[in-house]
């Protein structure tokens, strides 16, 4: 296990000679100080950022050393960890050495017309497309916002890094979930995760504080971004009023031509009129305040993203000091006892869980489902607490040398492996319970959570072998990948598929109509396989929502469109009077119909 903080989390060292008066440097030293670092843009790139020829020219030995010292300080500050994008040469440097100087970068350059155009496009698309719901319209709105951030970062001289590209591509991929799935809960998880990845792409965090705070750091740029945009518009407008006038006249003429000829073509051809009506969003006076709010939110969000791209807060400057190292015996003895406890519990699990149903009943006196319900939540909490124990143990781990590092690995490594077996046991219990009583949203959610915790444990084991430098970002990637996979797999579709399959296999209880009828449109393909009257009883509510909804194309998910196509071909039958007894015989979720007990999952 790693017992040292990662390289990115170490506080920046104080430059040598900071307490002594500066002395003139020889020409060779001055030339070395003015040379860009390995991860900075070269001289040709630096000149494109905005540095003048006088700034980039090499000073002669006879010149004062103030300019050389400033360039050396700029090169040293640009080389500090904290952002995968570095500012180019010529950017101003903060004058103080406090916490603000470590977190706050130099102010961004004047906002460019390309940034303003992308921001305005984001605001207009937000007002026109987002008022009817979330689907592919969210991905459409995100494209100009990403372009605004890209143009702003380019103007500030920031360089694209692999991790930044990873966060950006992952965030856009997560926005595909609302376009594909109708269910609201995986859509919510995907949108929140996309926002977090977008914020990480803008800030480029790599340490634990940086990843945790940087995922929410876009909120910090909202007010500065709006102020930056207003100042940029004023500066641009005062310097080029003639250009603004020409732009407004050109836009007005183009709009008039589009309205006139579009109206003529729509009145001349009904098919073109229908196509134009389906593509154009509907606007009314009643939706005016809501669209105005969406315009303001899109404008502020795009400006915040562009400002964060041009001048991100360096959250990696926040460091957490490791705790005071403990003695080997004091640190290792409690963890060794915990390992022994885990080993005893897992030995029993291997005997019971893999010994078959008869072994479970002989040992515990409980059925498969009762045994699974009895311990799943306890094992989930045990996994979470084990991760907390590992984090605290690393904080106070002995750090004397190679022997201490070997001790940390030999104690925490087995604990991670044993916890992985606990994760497998919890998942096995859930599998037994689902096999007996069917799948629900809560059951699939907690099972996915337990599975992700197992992935985190594997990443911790890998960090103990290869180093913990990439562990914070690897954990964030695993969480985002889990949310993306969860949404793409369509949890409502899986729930319906599993329950329909159990019904078709003729096992014990009928399908629970009261539960599946409240699923989203993603469940329609599976529920369509049910015989009557179960099919009509399960799809009646979904059909009312899908067929009587006039949501435009940009706010309609693929799952909803597919459900509408199925229900138009085979609508439900009857008036629902025969649905009162369908799916209510026998037991439900492990309880008799007249039992008032509450099933926690």
């Amino acid at each position: 296990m790693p017992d040292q903080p990662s390289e990115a989390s170490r506080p920046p060292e104080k430059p040598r000679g900071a307490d002594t008066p500066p002395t003139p440097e020889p020409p060779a030293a001055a030339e070395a100080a003015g040379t860009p670092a390995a991860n900075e843009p070269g001289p040709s790139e630096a000149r494109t950022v905005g540095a003048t020829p006088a700034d980039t020219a090499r000073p002669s030995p006879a010149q004062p050393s103030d300019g050389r010292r400033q360039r050396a300080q700029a090169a040293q500050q640009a080389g500090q960890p904290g952002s995968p994008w570095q500012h180019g040469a010529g950017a101003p440097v903060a004058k103080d050495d406090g916490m603000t100087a470590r977190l706050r970068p130099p102010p961004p350059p004047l906002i460019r017309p390309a940034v303003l155009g992308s921001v305005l496009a984001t605001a207009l698309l937000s007002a026109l497309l987002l008022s009817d719901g979330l689907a592919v319209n969210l991905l459409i709105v995100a494209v100009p916002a990403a372009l605004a951030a890209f143009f702003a970062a380019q103007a500030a001289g920031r360089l694209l890094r692999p991790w930044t590209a990873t966060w950006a591509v992952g965030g856009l991929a997560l926005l595909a979930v609302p376009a594909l799935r109708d269910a609201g809960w995986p859509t919510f998880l995907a949108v929140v995760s996309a926002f977090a990845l977008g914020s990480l792409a803008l800030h480029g965090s790599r340490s634990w504080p940086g990843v945790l705070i940087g995922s929410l750091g876009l909120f910090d740029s909202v007010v500065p971004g709006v102020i930056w945009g207003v100042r940029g518009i004023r500066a641009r407008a005062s310097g080029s009023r003639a250009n603004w006038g020409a732009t407004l006249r050109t836009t007005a003429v183009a709009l008039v031509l589009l309205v006139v000829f579009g109206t003529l073509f729509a009145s001349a051809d009904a098919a073109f009129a229908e196509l134009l009506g389906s593509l154009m969003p509907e606007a009314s006076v009643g939706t005016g305040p809501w669209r105005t709010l969406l315009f303001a939110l899109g404008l502020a969000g795009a400006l915040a993203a562009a400002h964060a791209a041009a001048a991100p807060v360096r959250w990696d400057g926040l460091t957490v000091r490791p705790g005071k190292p403990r003695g080997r015996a004091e640190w290792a003895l409690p963890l060794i006892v915990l390992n022994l406890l885990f080993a005893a519990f897992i030995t029993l699990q291997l005997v019971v869980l893999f010994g078959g149903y008869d072994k479970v009943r002989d040992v515990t006196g409980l059925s498969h489902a009762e045994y699974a319900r009895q311990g799943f939540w306890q094992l989930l909490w045990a996994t979470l607490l084990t991760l907390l124990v590992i984090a605290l143990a690393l904080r106070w781990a002995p750090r004397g040398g190679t022997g201490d590092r070997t001790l940390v690995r030999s104690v925490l490594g087995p604990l991670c492996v044993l916890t992985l077996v606990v994760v497998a046991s919890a998942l096995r219990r859930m599998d037994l319970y689902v096999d007996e009583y069917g799948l629900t949203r809560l059951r699939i959610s907690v099972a996915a959570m337990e599975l992700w915790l197992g992935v985190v444990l594997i990443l911790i084991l890998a960090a103990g072998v290869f180093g913990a430098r990439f562990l914070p970002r690897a954990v964030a990637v695993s969480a985002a990948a889990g949310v993306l996979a969860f949404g793409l797999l369509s949890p409502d579709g899986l729930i319906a598929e599993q329950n329909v399959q159990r019904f078709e296999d003729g096992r014990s209880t009928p399908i629970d109509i009261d539960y599946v009828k409240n699923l989203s449109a993603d469940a329609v393909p599976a529920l369509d396989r049910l015989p009557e009257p179960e099919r009509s009883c399960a799809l009646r509510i979904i059909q009312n929502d899908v067929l009587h909804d006039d949501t435009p194309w940009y706010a309609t998910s693929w799952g909803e469109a597919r459900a509408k196509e199925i229900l138009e071909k085979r609508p439900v039958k009857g008036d629902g009077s025969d649905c009162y007894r369908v799916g209510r015989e026998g037991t439900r979720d492990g309880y008799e119909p007249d039992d008032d007990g509450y099933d926690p999952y």
Side-chain angles (χ1 to χ4, degrees):
M1 290 289 104
D3 55 353
Q4 297 291 345
S6 64
E7 180 181 353
S9 64
R10 296 174 182 170
E13 298 179 359
K14 189 174 181 180
R16 291 180 298 178
D19 299 329
T20 60
T23 57
E25 302 177 27
E31 183 176 358
T35 303
N39 57 355
E40 294 180 352
S44 60
E45 298 177 357
R47 284 193 292 272
T48 62
V49 175
T52 61
D55 294 331
T56 57
R58 187 177 63 188
S60 62
Q63 290 178 337
S65 60
D66 294 339
R68 293 194 297 268
R69 287 200 304 271
Q70 290 179 359
R71 280 190 293 274
Q73 292 173 358
Q76 182 178 4
Q77 182 173 358
Q80 291 178 356
S83 175
W85 289 350
Q86 299 294 344
H87 289 267
V93 183
K95 296 182 179 180
D96 55 16
D97 294 331
M99 177 63 70
T100 304
R102 288 196 299 168
L103 297 182
R104 293 287 177 183
L110 186 67
I111 190 169
R112 296 174 59 184
V115 178
L116 288 174
S118 300
V119 168
L120 182 60
T122 304
L124 290 175
L125 290 175
S126 299
L128 293 175
L129 303 182
L130 296 183
S131 61
D132 297 302
L134 299 182
V136 71
N137 51 3
L138 194 59
L139 188 59
I140 296 174
V141 171
V143 171
L147 289 177
F150 174 77
F151 292 142
Q154 193 178 44
R158 297 181 69 187
L159 301 178
L160 185 64
R161 301 294 181 183
W163 274 105
T164 303
T166 301
W167 301 131
V169 172
L172 292 176
L174 283 165
L175 293 182
V177 174
L180 297 175
R181 303 304 174 206
D182 179 59
W185 52 301
T187 294
F188 173 78
L189 291 176
V191 171
V192 172
S193 301
F195 177 87
L197 289 193
S199 184
L200 287 176
L202 297 173
H203 292 85
S205 304
R206 64 186 67 180
S207 64
W208 281 112
V211 170
L212 293 176
I213 304 177
S215 61
L216 302 174
L218 195 58
F219 290 109
D220 184 79
S221 300
V222 173
V223 176
V226 173
I227 297 174
W228 176 57
V230 171
R231 290 176 178 174
I233 292 175
R234 287 179 178 176
R236 299 284 182 185
S238 62
S240 56
R241 294 184 178 179
N243 294 335
W244 281 100
T247 302
L248 291 177
R249 288 192 299 270
T250 303
T251 304
V253 171
L255 287 176
V256 170
L257 293 175
L258 286 175
V259 170
V260 172
F261 285 94
T263 303
L264 290 175
F265 290 149
S267 61
D269 189 277
F272 182 79
E274 183 180 358
L275 175 63
L276 192 63
S278 62
L279 293 178
M280 294 297 294
E282 297 181 0
S284 61
V285 178
T287 60
W290 175 235
R291 293 183 185 275
T292 302
L293 177 61
L294 290 175
F295 179 89
L297 291 176
L299 185 70
L303 284 173
H307 184 272
V313 181
R314 296 171 177 172
W315 295 111
D316 283 336
L318 297 174
T319 57
V320 179
R321 296 181 180 179
K324 181 180 178 181
R326 305 296 179 181
R328 293 186 179 182
E330 180 184 2
W331 178 87
L333 185 58
L335 296 175
I336 292 175
V337 173
L338 183 61
N339 281 338
L340 294 176
L341 178 63
F342 269 64
F345 175 78
I346 289 170
T347 302
L348 181 62
Q349 295 299 293
L350 295 176
V351 173
V352 173
L353 287 181
F354 300 104
Y357 175 75
D358 295 335
K359 189 66 176 179
V360 172
R361 183 160 47 188
D362 293 341
V363 174
T364 64
L366 303 174
S367 66
H368 258 178
E370 293 171 338
Y371 185 76
R373 183 196 304 142
Q374 184 187 55
F376 174 81
W377 289 101
Q378 289 86 339
L379 297 183
L380 178 63
W381 278 108
T383 306
L384 290 171
L385 291 177
T386 302
L387 291 175
L388 179 61
V389 168
I390 292 173
L392 295 177
L394 289 174
R395 177 174 175 79
W396 288 297
R399 296 182 288 272
T402 305
D404 289 335
R405 288 193 292 271
T406 302
L407 175 65
V408 171
R409 291 188 176 97
S410 62
V411 173
L412 294 185
L415 181 60
C416 290
V417 173
L418 293 172
T419 309
L420 281 174
V421 181
V422 172
V423 170
S425 175
L427 292 175
R428 175 61 176 163
R429 287 172 182 259
M430 179 56 69
D431 180 66
L432 293 174
Y433 195 77
V434 168
D435 186 68
E436 187 73 20
Y437 296 116
L439 195 60
T440 63
R441 287 175 171 176
L442 184 56
R443 292 168 194 168
I444 193 174
S445 300
V446 295
M449 178 68 178
E450 184 73 20
L451 184 62
W452 175 70
L453 293 177
V455 173
V456 172
L457 288 168
I458 294 175
L459 292 175
I460 294 175
L461 283 171
V465 178
F466 303 106
R469 180 182 179 184
F470 297 107
L471 182 59
R473 288 176 288 186
V475 172
V477 167
S478 68
V483 172
L484 179 60
F486 190 71
L488 295 180
L489 288 175
S490 182
D492 275 13
L494 289 177
I495 292 169
E497 179 67 31
Q498 197 269 351
N499 284 278
V500 170
Q501 187 64 44
R502 292 176 65 250
F503 177 79
E504 291 176 343
D505 293 343
R507 296 189 218 172
S508 62
T509 60
I511 189 169
D512 188 354
I513 298 296
D514 286 340
Y515 187 83
V516 299
K517 71 180 182 181
N518 294 313
L519 296 175
S520 66
D522 300 330
V524 170
L527 298 178
D528 185 55
R529 303 203 318 259
L530 290 172
E532 295 292 348
E534 284 83 0
R535 177 186 178 275
S536 295
C537 294
L539 294 177
R540 189 174 305 278
I541 295 178
I542 301 177
Q543 176 176 284
N544 293 335
D545 293 338
V546 171
L547 295 186
H548 300 114
D549 190 7
D550 55 351
T551 304
W553 65 271
Y554 51 80
T556 302
S557 65
W558 178 71
E560 191 175 1
R562 184 177 55 170
K564 184 176 181 180
E565 180 182 359
I566 293 174
L567 292 173
E568 284 178 343
K569 293 180 178 179
R570 295 183 57 199
V572 300
K573 301 177 181 179
D575 56 357
S577 59
D578 53 351
C579 297
Y580 289 103
R581 294 300 302 174
V582 173
R584 288 179 169 84
E585 296 87 357
T587 61
R588 178 185 177 188
D589 287 348
Y591 292 94
E592 297 295 332
D594 56 349
D595 189 2
D596 294 331
Y598 172 67
D599 184 1
Y601 58 93

